[in-house]
Amino acid sequence: MKLFIKISLKTVIKISEKFYLVLAGGVGAAKFIEGLVQVINPKLLKIIVNTGDDIELYGLKICPDLDIITYTLANIIDKEKGWGFQNESFHCLNVLKVYYNLGWFNLGDKDLATHIFRTDLMRSGYSKAEATAIICKKLGVISELIPMSNEDVQTIIHTPTKAMHFEEYYIKYKCEPKVLNIEFKGIEHAKPINKILEYIHNAYKIYISPSNPIVSIGTILSLPKIKESLEKVKDKVIAISPIIAGTTIKGPADKLMQSLGLEVSSFGVAEYYKDFVAHFVIDNIDYKLKSRIESLGISTYCYDTIMTNLEKKKALGNFVLNIPS
Ligand code: FO1
């Protein structure tokens, strides 16, 4: 009897907890989340983060999107670049460049400490999710960050001359090569972290950040059961378009959408998301696309989505929080 009361009390508490879920990539998602935590309690925020950009360099496990979101929430991010630590130095990298023929990925001295710590944790047997939780706790991040999977998935960009890791395509080659195909290497063996499906089911609202729909959100969606789970709760799923006036603020979303034959516009993103998104926020500049997007059965809202300062990030956070769903 005692046990029964204990279990049912726990269940009541669990059911009454109202939390928000965000699907996130890197820089665009971090700006959006920075605004969201101004208007909702960070404790109520759970963030599923793309790990398709993860890369191993110098024997270290580097998780760019997880680090960008972590550093943003810990308020240690370099705000101008949108990645890495503030007031960073690159002494270690300069020596690494002497030892290795590899220097295009800019790892700062402070940032390297995170990668050393994560690699040490994972070599001691901690999973990527456990290592992420430990790093977040050490850096004082209150929201829960969940890597999409504990298994390795690598986004590989196939170009006419060679296949390369997404980070190499993005940073070393500045997104210049023509893209023939995008591969999520390892996806067939990867599964979402257990609690993700439960979180999708129980979240009060789910936000799809203004991140790259193909190589950030698309990677998460490629994991088994994610899309189907979102479809079941479509009414509470709200997406923010990363494409504004046919282009992106940062990153190659426009190029990658074009290479897949998608229309490079907020309509193209809405069409890509239409099975599992009921609400869609586009920039005011794109107001002419509103009725076309609504013809897909998606409620569409126009707002200023260019997050150039904290006030604008907060205003967008407030706007999406008040979308009736
Ligand atoms: N972005 C760059 O544009 N140049 C870099 O050298 C670079 C290094 C880097 C190191 C650690 C890290 O966590 C992120 C880093 N980023 C860098 C950002 C990252 O490549 C991208 O913004 C994301 O992977 C795309 O979401």
Short mmCIF file of all heavy atoms in Angstrom, two decimals, residues 193-250:
data_model
loop_
_atom_site.label_atom_id
_atom_site.label_comp_id
_atom_site.label_asym_id
_atom_site.label_seq_id
_atom_site.Cartn_x
_atom_site.Cartn_y
_atom_site.Cartn_z
N ILE A 193 18.55 8.74 -28.00
CA ILE A 193 18.68 8.53 -26.56
C ILE A 193 17.28 8.16 -26.04
O ILE A 193 16.29 8.80 -26.43
CB ILE A 193 19.16 9.84 -25.86
CG1 ILE A 193 20.48 10.34 -26.44
CG2 ILE A 193 19.18 9.71 -24.34
CD1 ILE A 193 21.72 9.62 -26.03
N ASN A 194 17.21 7.16 -25.18
CA ASN A 194 15.93 6.60 -24.72
C ASN A 194 14.85 7.63 -24.40
O ASN A 194 13.74 7.55 -24.87
CB ASN A 194 16.15 5.76 -23.45
CG ASN A 194 16.57 4.36 -23.84
OD1 ASN A 194 16.35 3.95 -24.99
ND2 ASN A 194 17.18 3.65 -22.92
N LYS A 195 15.21 8.63 -23.57
CA LYS A 195 14.17 9.52 -23.08
C LYS A 195 13.63 10.50 -24.12
O LYS A 195 12.62 11.17 -23.88
CB LYS A 195 14.64 10.27 -21.84
CG LYS A 195 15.93 11.02 -21.98
CD LYS A 195 16.31 11.56 -20.62
CE LYS A 195 17.76 11.98 -20.57
NZ LYS A 195 18.16 12.37 -19.24
N ILE A 196 14.27 10.57 -25.29
CA ILE A 196 13.83 11.56 -26.28
C ILE A 196 12.38 11.30 -26.73
O ILE A 196 11.56 12.22 -26.79
CB ILE A 196 14.78 11.59 -27.51
CG1 ILE A 196 16.14 12.18 -27.09
CG2 ILE A 196 14.18 12.40 -28.65
CD1 ILE A 196 17.17 12.30 -28.19
N LEU A 197 12.03 10.05 -27.00
CA LEU A 197 10.67 9.76 -27.47
C LEU A 197 9.65 10.08 -26.37
O LEU A 197 8.57 10.62 -26.64
CB LEU A 197 10.55 8.30 -27.93
CG LEU A 197 11.50 7.90 -29.07
CD1 LEU A 197 11.28 6.45 -29.47
CD2 LEU A 197 11.35 8.81 -30.29
N GLU A 198 10.03 9.79 -25.13
CA GLU A 198 9.15 10.10 -23.99
C GLU A 198 8.99 11.63 -23.88
O GLU A 198 7.89 12.13 -23.66
CB GLU A 198 9.82 9.53 -22.73
CG GLU A 198 9.06 9.72 -21.44
CD GLU A 198 9.99 9.63 -20.24
OE1 GLU A 198 10.85 8.72 -20.20
OE2 GLU A 198 9.86 10.50 -19.35
N TYR A 199 10.07 12.35 -24.06
CA TYR A 199 10.01 13.82 -24.00
C TYR A 199 9.12 14.38 -25.11
O TYR A 199 8.36 15.33 -24.90
CB TYR A 199 11.41 14.43 -24.09
CG TYR A 199 12.23 14.34 -22.81
CD1 TYR A 199 13.56 14.74 -22.80
CD2 TYR A 199 11.68 13.86 -21.62
CE1 TYR A 199 14.33 14.66 -21.64
CE2 TYR A 199 12.44 13.77 -20.47
CZ TYR A 199 13.76 14.18 -20.48
OH TYR A 199 14.51 14.10 -19.34
N ILE A 200 9.23 13.81 -26.31
CA ILE A 200 8.40 14.30 -27.42
C ILE A 200 6.92 14.09 -27.05
O ILE A 200 6.08 14.96 -27.24
CB ILE A 200 8.75 13.57 -28.75
CG1 ILE A 200 10.14 14.02 -29.24
CG2 ILE A 200 7.69 13.81 -29.83
CD1 ILE A 200 10.66 13.31 -30.48
N HIS A 201 6.63 12.96 -26.48
CA HIS A 201 5.24 12.63 -26.12
C HIS A 201 4.72 13.58 -25.03
O HIS A 201 3.59 14.05 -25.09
CB HIS A 201 5.19 11.17 -25.66
CG HIS A 201 3.83 10.72 -25.30
ND1 HIS A 201 2.85 10.47 -26.25
CD2 HIS A 201 3.25 10.49 -24.08
CE1 HIS A 201 1.74 10.11 -25.64
NE2 HIS A 201 1.95 10.11 -24.33
N ASN A 202 5.56 13.85 -24.03
CA ASN A 202 5.08 14.57 -22.83
C ASN A 202 5.30 16.09 -22.83
O ASN A 202 4.77 16.78 -21.97
CB ASN A 202 5.75 14.01 -21.57
CG ASN A 202 5.25 12.60 -21.27
OD1 ASN A 202 4.09 12.28 -21.52
ND2 ASN A 202 6.12 11.76 -20.77
N ALA A 203 6.08 16.60 -23.77
CA ALA A 203 6.40 18.04 -23.74
C ALA A 203 5.12 18.87 -23.89
O ALA A 203 4.17 18.46 -24.57
CB ALA A 203 7.36 18.38 -24.87
N TYR A 204 5.13 20.02 -23.27
CA TYR A 204 3.99 20.94 -23.39
C TYR A 204 3.99 21.58 -24.79
O TYR A 204 2.98 21.65 -25.46
CB TYR A 204 4.10 22.00 -22.28
CG TYR A 204 3.05 23.06 -22.33
CD1 TYR A 204 1.70 22.74 -22.22
CD2 TYR A 204 3.41 24.41 -22.47
CE1 TYR A 204 0.72 23.72 -22.27
CE2 TYR A 204 2.44 25.39 -22.51
CZ TYR A 204 1.11 25.05 -22.41
OH TYR A 204 0.16 26.02 -22.46
N LYS A 205 5.16 22.03 -25.21
CA LYS A 205 5.32 22.55 -26.57
C LYS A 205 6.68 22.10 -27.10
O LYS A 205 7.63 21.94 -26.32
CB LYS A 205 5.26 24.08 -26.59
CG LYS A 205 3.86 24.61 -26.44
CD LYS A 205 3.78 26.12 -26.53
CE LYS A 205 2.35 26.57 -26.24
NZ LYS A 205 2.15 27.99 -26.29
N ILE A 206 6.77 21.91 -28.41
CA ILE A 206 8.04 21.51 -29.02
C ILE A 206 8.42 22.57 -30.06
O ILE A 206 7.61 22.89 -30.94
CB ILE A 206 7.91 20.13 -29.71
CG1 ILE A 206 7.50 19.06 -28.67
CG2 ILE A 206 9.22 19.73 -30.40
CD1 ILE A 206 7.20 17.69 -29.26
N TYR A 207 9.62 23.08 -29.92
CA TYR A 207 10.10 24.09 -30.88
C TYR A 207 11.19 23.50 -31.77
O TYR A 207 12.13 22.89 -31.27
CB TYR A 207 10.67 25.31 -30.14
CG TYR A 207 9.62 26.03 -29.32
CD1 TYR A 207 9.62 25.97 -27.94
CD2 TYR A 207 8.61 26.75 -29.96
CE1 TYR A 207 8.64 26.61 -27.19
CE2 TYR A 207 7.62 27.40 -29.21
CZ TYR A 207 7.65 27.32 -27.84
OH TYR A 207 6.68 27.95 -27.11
N ILE A 208 11.05 23.73 -33.07
CA ILE A 208 12.12 23.36 -33.99
C ILE A 208 12.86 24.65 -34.30
O ILE A 208 12.31 25.59 -34.89
CB ILE A 208 11.56 22.67 -35.25
CG1 ILE A 208 10.82 21.40 -34.81
CG2 ILE A 208 12.69 22.39 -36.24
CD1 ILE A 208 10.38 20.48 -35.90
N SER A 209 14.10 24.73 -33.83
CA SER A 209 14.89 25.97 -33.93
C SER A 209 15.11 26.40 -35.37
O SER A 209 15.05 25.56 -36.27
CB SER A 209 16.29 25.76 -33.36
OG SER A 209 16.25 25.16 -32.16
N PRO A 210 15.46 27.66 -35.57
CA PRO A 210 15.82 28.10 -36.92
C PRO A 210 17.22 27.60 -37.29
O PRO A 210 18.16 28.38 -37.44
CB PRO A 210 15.75 29.63 -36.82
CG PRO A 210 15.99 29.93 -35.37
CD PRO A 210 15.47 28.77 -34.59
N SER A 211 17.34 26.29 -37.37
CA SER A 211 18.62 25.63 -37.69
C SER A 211 18.53 25.05 -39.09
O SER A 211 17.46 25.00 -39.68
CB SER A 211 18.87 24.49 -36.70
OG SER A 211 19.05 24.98 -35.40
N ASN A 212 19.66 24.54 -39.55
CA ASN A 212 19.72 23.95 -40.88
C ASN A 212 18.75 22.76 -40.97
O ASN A 212 18.91 21.78 -40.24
CB ASN A 212 21.15 23.49 -41.15
CG ASN A 212 21.39 23.10 -42.58
OD1 ASN A 212 20.60 22.38 -43.16
ND2 ASN A 212 22.47 23.59 -43.15
N PRO A 213 17.72 22.84 -41.85
CA PRO A 213 16.73 21.75 -41.88
C PRO A 213 17.31 20.43 -42.37
O PRO A 213 16.77 19.37 -42.06
CB PRO A 213 15.67 22.25 -42.87
CG PRO A 213 16.15 23.51 -43.44
CD PRO A 213 17.44 23.91 -42.81
N ILE A 214 18.42 20.49 -43.11
CA ILE A 214 18.98 19.26 -43.70
C ILE A 214 20.02 18.63 -42.78
O ILE A 214 19.93 17.45 -42.46
CB ILE A 214 19.65 19.55 -45.08
CG1 ILE A 214 18.78 20.47 -45.95
CG2 ILE A 214 20.05 18.25 -45.79
CD1 ILE A 214 17.46 19.90 -46.36
N VAL A 215 21.04 19.39 -42.38
CA VAL A 215 22.15 18.77 -41.63
C VAL A 215 22.12 19.06 -40.13
O VAL A 215 23.04 18.65 -39.42
CB VAL A 215 23.54 19.16 -42.23
CG1 VAL A 215 23.68 18.63 -43.64
CG2 VAL A 215 23.78 20.64 -42.16
N SER A 216 21.11 19.74 -39.63
CA SER A 216 20.98 19.89 -38.17
C SER A 216 19.69 19.19 -37.73
O SER A 216 19.72 18.13 -37.12
CB SER A 216 20.96 21.35 -37.75
OG SER A 216 22.20 21.96 -38.06
N ILE A 217 18.55 19.76 -38.13
CA ILE A 217 17.26 19.15 -37.77
C ILE A 217 17.09 17.83 -38.54
O ILE A 217 16.65 16.82 -37.98
CB ILE A 217 16.09 20.13 -38.08
CG1 ILE A 217 16.31 21.48 -37.36
CG2 ILE A 217 14.76 19.49 -37.69
CD1 ILE A 217 16.44 21.42 -35.86
N GLY A 218 17.50 17.84 -39.82
CA GLY A 218 17.34 16.65 -40.66
C GLY A 218 18.06 15.43 -40.10
O GLY A 218 17.57 14.30 -40.23
N THR A 219 19.19 15.65 -39.47
CA THR A 219 19.95 14.53 -38.88
C THR A 219 19.15 13.93 -37.72
O THR A 219 19.03 12.71 -37.61
CB THR A 219 21.33 15.02 -38.37
OG1 THR A 219 21.75 16.10 -39.18
CG2 THR A 219 22.36 13.92 -38.42
N ILE A 220 18.61 14.79 -36.88
CA ILE A 220 17.81 14.31 -35.74
C ILE A 220 16.60 13.53 -36.28
O ILE A 220 16.27 12.45 -35.79
CB ILE A 220 17.35 15.50 -34.84
CG1 ILE A 220 18.55 16.32 -34.33
CG2 ILE A 220 16.49 15.00 -33.69
CD1 ILE A 220 18.19 17.59 -33.56
N LEU A 221 15.97 14.09 -37.32
CA LEU A 221 14.76 13.46 -37.88
C LEU A 221 15.06 12.11 -38.53
O LEU A 221 14.16 11.28 -38.69
CB LEU A 221 14.14 14.38 -38.95
CG LEU A 221 13.61 15.73 -38.49
CD1 LEU A 221 13.19 16.57 -39.68
CD2 LEU A 221 12.42 15.55 -37.54
N SER A 222 16.31 11.89 -38.92
CA SER A 222 16.69 10.63 -39.58
C SER A 222 16.79 9.47 -38.61
O SER A 222 16.89 8.32 -39.04
CB SER A 222 18.03 10.79 -40.29
OG SER A 222 17.94 11.78 -41.23
N LEU A 223 16.83 9.76 -37.32
CA LEU A 223 16.92 8.67 -36.33
C LEU A 223 15.58 7.93 -36.27
O LEU A 223 14.53 8.54 -36.47
CB LEU A 223 17.26 9.25 -34.95
CG LEU A 223 18.68 9.77 -34.81
CD1 LEU A 223 18.80 10.65 -33.57
CD2 LEU A 223 19.69 8.63 -34.73
N PRO A 224 15.60 6.63 -35.96
CA PRO A 224 14.36 5.88 -35.92
C PRO A 224 13.34 6.48 -34.95
O PRO A 224 13.70 6.93 -33.87
CB PRO A 224 14.78 4.48 -35.44
CG PRO A 224 16.26 4.45 -35.48
CD PRO A 224 16.78 5.83 -35.63
N LYS A 225 12.10 6.50 -35.39
CA LYS A 225 10.91 6.86 -34.60
C LYS A 225 10.76 8.34 -34.27
O LYS A 225 9.76 8.75 -33.68
CB LYS A 225 10.85 6.06 -33.29
CG LYS A 225 10.67 4.56 -33.52
CD LYS A 225 10.32 3.89 -32.22
CE LYS A 225 10.27 2.38 -32.41
NZ LYS A 225 10.56 1.64 -31.23
N ILE A 226 11.73 9.18 -34.60
CA ILE A 226 11.60 10.60 -34.23
C ILE A 226 10.47 11.27 -35.02
O ILE A 226 9.57 11.89 -34.45
CB ILE A 226 12.93 11.37 -34.46
CG1 ILE A 226 14.05 10.80 -33.59
CG2 ILE A 226 12.76 12.87 -34.26
CD1 ILE A 226 14.13 11.33 -32.19
N LYS A 227 10.51 11.11 -36.34
CA LYS A 227 9.50 11.75 -37.19
C LYS A 227 8.10 11.25 -36.82
O LYS A 227 7.17 12.04 -36.65
CB LYS A 227 9.79 11.40 -38.65
CG LYS A 227 10.02 12.61 -39.52
CD LYS A 227 10.07 12.17 -40.94
CE LYS A 227 10.99 13.05 -41.74
NZ LYS A 227 11.29 12.54 -43.04
N GLU A 228 7.97 9.94 -36.68
CA GLU A 228 6.66 9.34 -36.36
C GLU A 228 6.15 9.87 -35.01
O GLU A 228 4.97 10.16 -34.86
CB GLU A 228 6.76 7.80 -36.28
CG GLU A 228 7.12 7.12 -37.58
CD GLU A 228 8.62 7.01 -37.82
OE1 GLU A 228 9.37 7.93 -37.43
OE2 GLU A 228 9.05 6.01 -38.40
N SER A 229 7.07 10.01 -34.05
CA SER A 229 6.65 10.51 -32.73
C SER A 229 6.20 11.96 -32.83
O SER A 229 5.23 12.36 -32.17
CB SER A 229 7.80 10.42 -31.72
OG SER A 229 8.28 9.12 -31.66
N LEU A 230 6.89 12.75 -33.63
CA LEU A 230 6.50 14.16 -33.80
C LEU A 230 5.14 14.25 -34.51
O LEU A 230 4.31 15.08 -34.15
CB LEU A 230 7.56 14.93 -34.59
CG LEU A 230 8.88 15.23 -33.85
CD1 LEU A 230 9.94 15.77 -34.81
CD2 LEU A 230 8.67 16.24 -32.72
N GLU A 231 4.95 13.39 -35.49
CA GLU A 231 3.68 13.39 -36.24
C GLU A 231 2.49 13.19 -35.29
O GLU A 231 1.45 13.82 -35.47
CB GLU A 231 3.68 12.29 -37.29
CG GLU A 231 4.38 12.70 -38.58
CD GLU A 231 4.59 11.55 -39.56
OE1 GLU A 231 3.83 10.56 -39.51
OE2 GLU A 231 5.54 11.65 -40.35
N LYS A 232 2.69 12.34 -34.30
CA LYS A 232 1.59 12.02 -33.36
C LYS A 232 1.21 13.22 -32.49
O LYS A 232 0.11 13.28 -31.96
CB LYS A 232 2.01 10.86 -32.45
CG LYS A 232 1.93 9.52 -33.15
CD LYS A 232 2.16 8.39 -32.17
CE LYS A 232 2.46 7.11 -32.92
NZ LYS A 232 3.43 6.25 -32.28
N VAL A 233 2.16 14.16 -32.31
CA VAL A 233 1.88 15.31 -31.43
C VAL A 233 1.99 16.63 -32.22
O VAL A 233 2.27 17.69 -31.65
CB VAL A 233 2.86 15.33 -30.21
CG1 VAL A 233 2.65 14.11 -29.34
CG2 VAL A 233 4.31 15.40 -30.66
N LYS A 234 1.77 16.50 -33.52
CA LYS A 234 1.96 17.62 -34.46
C LYS A 234 1.40 18.96 -33.98
O LYS A 234 2.01 20.01 -34.17
CB LYS A 234 1.30 17.19 -35.78
CG LYS A 234 1.42 18.13 -36.92
CD LYS A 234 0.76 17.50 -38.14
CE LYS A 234 0.68 18.54 -39.25
NZ LYS A 234 0.23 17.99 -40.51
N ASP A 235 0.23 18.93 -33.33
CA ASP A 235 -0.44 20.17 -32.93
C ASP A 235 0.39 21.05 -32.01
O ASP A 235 0.19 22.26 -31.94
CB ASP A 235 -1.78 19.86 -32.24
CG ASP A 235 -2.82 19.45 -33.26
OD1 ASP A 235 -2.55 19.61 -34.47
OD2 ASP A 235 -3.89 18.97 -32.84
N LYS A 236 1.31 20.43 -31.27
CA LYS A 236 2.12 21.25 -30.34
C LYS A 236 3.53 21.52 -30.90
O LYS A 236 4.40 22.00 -30.19
CB LYS A 236 2.20 20.57 -28.97
CG LYS A 236 2.90 19.23 -28.95
CD LYS A 236 2.91 18.62 -27.56
CE LYS A 236 3.67 17.29 -27.54
NZ LYS A 236 3.55 16.58 -26.27
N VAL A 237 3.73 21.23 -32.19
CA VAL A 237 5.07 21.46 -32.78
C VAL A 237 5.09 22.78 -33.54
O VAL A 237 4.29 23.02 -34.45
CB VAL A 237 5.50 20.29 -33.69
CG1 VAL A 237 6.92 20.52 -34.20
CG2 VAL A 237 5.41 18.95 -32.97
N ILE A 238 6.04 23.63 -33.16
CA ILE A 238 6.17 24.97 -33.72
C ILE A 238 7.58 25.09 -34.31
O ILE A 238 8.56 24.85 -33.61
CB ILE A 238 6.00 26.04 -32.61
CG1 ILE A 238 4.62 25.92 -31.96
CG2 ILE A 238 6.26 27.46 -33.13
CD1 ILE A 238 4.51 26.57 -30.60
N ALA A 239 7.69 25.43 -35.60
CA ALA A 239 9.02 25.58 -36.20
C ALA A 239 9.26 27.04 -36.58
O ALA A 239 8.32 27.78 -36.89
CB ALA A 239 9.14 24.69 -37.43
N ILE A 240 10.52 27.42 -36.55
CA ILE A 240 10.91 28.78 -36.95
C ILE A 240 11.79 28.63 -38.19
O ILE A 240 12.77 27.89 -38.17
CB ILE A 240 11.66 29.52 -35.81
CG1 ILE A 240 10.76 29.64 -34.57
CG2 ILE A 240 12.10 30.93 -36.25
CD1 ILE A 240 10.94 28.56 -33.57
N SER A 241 11.45 29.35 -39.24
CA SER A 241 12.19 29.18 -40.50
C SER A 241 13.62 29.74 -40.40
O SER A 241 13.81 30.88 -39.98
CB SER A 241 11.46 29.89 -41.64
OG SER A 241 12.24 29.77 -42.81
N PRO A 242 14.63 28.97 -40.83
CA PRO A 242 15.99 29.49 -40.88
C PRO A 242 16.25 30.23 -42.19
O PRO A 242 17.28 30.88 -42.35
CB PRO A 242 16.85 28.21 -40.82
CG PRO A 242 16.00 27.17 -41.47
CD PRO A 242 14.56 27.54 -41.22
N ILE A 243 15.32 30.11 -43.12
CA ILE A 243 15.49 30.78 -44.42
C ILE A 243 14.69 32.08 -44.41
O ILE A 243 13.49 32.09 -44.11
CB ILE A 243 15.02 29.87 -45.59
CG1 ILE A 243 15.77 28.53 -45.60
CG2 ILE A 243 15.15 30.59 -46.94
CD1 ILE A 243 17.19 28.56 -46.12
N ILE A 244 15.39 33.16 -44.70
CA ILE A 244 14.75 34.49 -44.73
C ILE A 244 15.07 35.11 -46.09
O ILE A 244 16.25 35.18 -46.47
CB ILE A 244 15.30 35.38 -43.58
CG1 ILE A 244 15.03 34.71 -42.23
CG2 ILE A 244 14.69 36.78 -43.65
CD1 ILE A 244 15.66 35.42 -41.03
N ALA A 245 14.03 35.51 -46.79
CA ALA A 245 14.19 36.10 -48.12
C ALA A 245 15.08 35.22 -49.01
O ALA A 245 15.98 35.71 -49.70
CB ALA A 245 14.75 37.53 -48.01
N GLY A 246 14.85 33.93 -48.95
CA GLY A 246 15.55 32.99 -49.85
C GLY A 246 16.99 32.69 -49.49
O GLY A 246 17.72 32.09 -50.29
N THR A 247 17.43 33.11 -48.31
CA THR A 247 18.82 32.85 -47.94
C THR A 247 18.94 32.60 -46.43
O THR A 247 17.94 32.70 -45.70
CB THR A 247 19.73 34.03 -48.41
OG1 THR A 247 21.09 33.66 -48.18
CG2 THR A 247 19.42 35.32 -47.70
N THR A 248 20.16 32.25 -45.98
CA THR A 248 20.36 32.01 -44.54
C THR A 248 21.23 33.11 -43.94
O THR A 248 22.06 33.70 -44.63
CB THR A 248 21.11 30.67 -44.28
OG1 THR A 248 22.10 30.52 -45.27
CG2 THR A 248 20.19 29.51 -44.28
N ILE A 249 21.06 33.32 -42.64
CA ILE A 249 21.90 34.30 -41.94
C ILE A 249 23.32 33.73 -41.86
O ILE A 249 24.29 34.43 -42.03
CB ILE A 249 21.36 34.53 -40.49
CG1 ILE A 249 19.91 34.99 -40.51
CG2 ILE A 249 22.27 35.47 -39.69
CD1 ILE A 249 19.65 36.45 -40.66
N LYS A 250 23.44 32.45 -41.56
CA LYS A 250 24.74 31.79 -41.40
C LYS A 250 24.61 30.34 -41.86
O LYS A 250 23.56 29.74 -41.72
CB LYS A 250 25.14 31.83 -39.92
CG LYS A 250 26.62 31.61 -39.66
CD LYS A 250 26.96 31.83 -38.20
CE LYS A 250 28.43 31.87 -37.91
NZ LYS A 250 29.23 30.77 -38.25
#
